[in-house]
Amino acid sequence: MTGLGTPIQGVTLYSFTRAFHSRQYDLDGLIRKVAAEGFGPGLEIIGFSSLRGFPDRIDDSFVGRFRDLVSEVELLPTSLAVNVDTGIRRDRLMNHDELVEYMRKQIEVASRLGFPIARVQISLTPDAMESLLPVAEKYGVTLALEVHAHQHGAHELILALRDRFDKLGSPLLGFTADWGATVSGFAPSLLEAYRRRGASEELLQQVVAMWNGFYAEGPPTTEKAHGERFGAFIGLAARNGRPDLGIDFAINGTGLFGPAPH
């Protein structure tokens, strides 16, 4: 039996996205696979990725089957990842009240399915998180904001959220780390993927050198600094005759492989 604050091993079904979307497994089969392979006991699910009709069409019958299955295979629901899709409309961004309601429905499903944590995304502002606190209290769900590269513990937006959390003083508001924000090198497997797409060794050496330079400088502490680095990768690709890879280099070089210290 684990106590409060005791770490446990777990897995996110996001790790099996390709297998799931290629229909090698349905949701029940994938949960059973996780249990059989010993990847648990902790279980995270991405709401919009794994749950058909999420969040509006999750009925009581599905909730009962899900909770029974998780109990049967002795997994522990740890986190339901929810989306902050502020740009879901074509004509405008969501306003504040629309965003709160959009999040409320997802947080409610997290509670019904037995997840104690809803992992929320970095696009939520301090004001939005404060408005969601009554929702978290109503459903008894902790809102753990994912610190995802290019952001990190000393980034201006994370510091603003930390200050607001300190002011509110609620145990239901916190952070969860995406360790991709604290890597120490550009992934060799990603470089190999670029080779298969025809990137030259010279170009890849320059990409790695640029990333290493940013790592030596330390992570960006402002959105402006991040934008400059993003643009630098795009420019590098264009100068080497591969503008088609520019956005890809920039996303991976600043957003998936972040140079924050461990």
Side-chain angles (χ1 to χ4, degrees):
M1 176 68 69
T2 59
L4 182 64
T6 303
I8 63 171
Q9 176 179 288
V11 70
T12 174
L13 293 193
Y14 181 73
S15 300
F16 305 94
T17 296
R18 289 187 177 180
F20 183 64
H21 286 177
S22 64
R23 300 186 180 181
Q24 295 178 43
Y25 302 94
D26 60 12
L27 180 61
D28 286 16
L30 191 51
I31 290 172
R32 292 185 183 278
K33 171 75 171 177
V34 164
E37 295 292 337
F39 296 137
L43 177 68
E44 179 189 71
I45 286 180
I46 315 296
F48 279 107
S49 174
S50 295
L51 306 178
R52 187 182 298 276
F54 179 81
D56 297 303
R57 296 193 297 278
I58 304 297
D59 59 24
D60 291 342
S61 175
F62 175 84
V63 169
R65 293 196 307 274
F66 175 83
R67 296 185 74 136
D68 287 347
L69 173 59
V70 170
S71 176
E72 175 194 337
V73 298
E74 299 183 335
L75 295 179
L76 294 175
T78 53
S79 170
L80 181 71
V82 303
N83 282 27
V84 186
D85 299 316
T86 55
I88 198 170
R89 296 178 56 115
R90 291 188 176 187
D91 56 334
R92 61 173 175 81
L93 297 178
M94 285 184 186
N95 63 39
H96 182 81
D97 291 342
E98 290 170 336
L99 177 61
V100 170
E101 174 59 16
Y102 185 74
M103 301 301 299
R104 184 202 66 77
K105 292 189 291 185
Q106 298 180 72
I107 295 165
E108 178 188 12
V109 172
S111 176
R112 291 170 62 206
L113 292 175
F115 289 96
I117 292 173
R119 175 166 62 84
V120 300
Q121 295 171 320
I122 59 176
S123 47
L124 286 174
T125 65
D127 287 346
M129 290 298 289
E130 183 167 349
S131 294
L132 287 171
L133 178 55
V135 177
E137 292 171 339
K138 177 179 179 179
Y139 296 112
V141 173
T142 297
L143 306 184
L145 188 135
E146 181 182 11
V147 182
H148 188 294
H150 61 283
Q151 295 178 5
H152 50 88
H155 189 279
E156 59 181 355
L157 299 182
I158 300 302
L159 292 177
L161 284 159
R162 188 191 68 182
D163 290 346
R164 186 68 61 92
F165 291 175
D166 286 346
K167 176 183 176 182
L168 295 171
S170 172
L172 296 179
L173 298 178
F175 297 98
T176 187
D178 183 311
W179 299 114
T182 60
V183 301
S184 57
F186 213 80
S189 59
L190 182 57
L191 294 173
E192 182 57 36
Y194 286 133
R195 288 188 185 98
R196 292 195 298 268
R197 294 170 65 180
S200 68
E201 290 302 316
E202 181 181 0
L203 172 56
L204 294 179
Q205 289 173 9
Q206 292 179 55
V207 169
V208 170
M210 178 171 285
W211 195 95
N212 289 342
F214 291 146
Y215 183 78
E217 294 174 11
T221 57
T222 66
E223 289 297 282
K224 180 177 182 295
H226 165 252
E228 292 170 350
R229 293 185 177 188
F230 197 94
F233 279 108
I234 294 174
L236 177 63
R239 290 192 301 274
N240 283 269
R242 291 301 304 267
D244 57 305
L245 294 177
I247 296 293
D248 205 289
F249 286 156
I251 291 173
N252 285 308
T254 69
L256 294 182
F257 298 91
H262 292 69

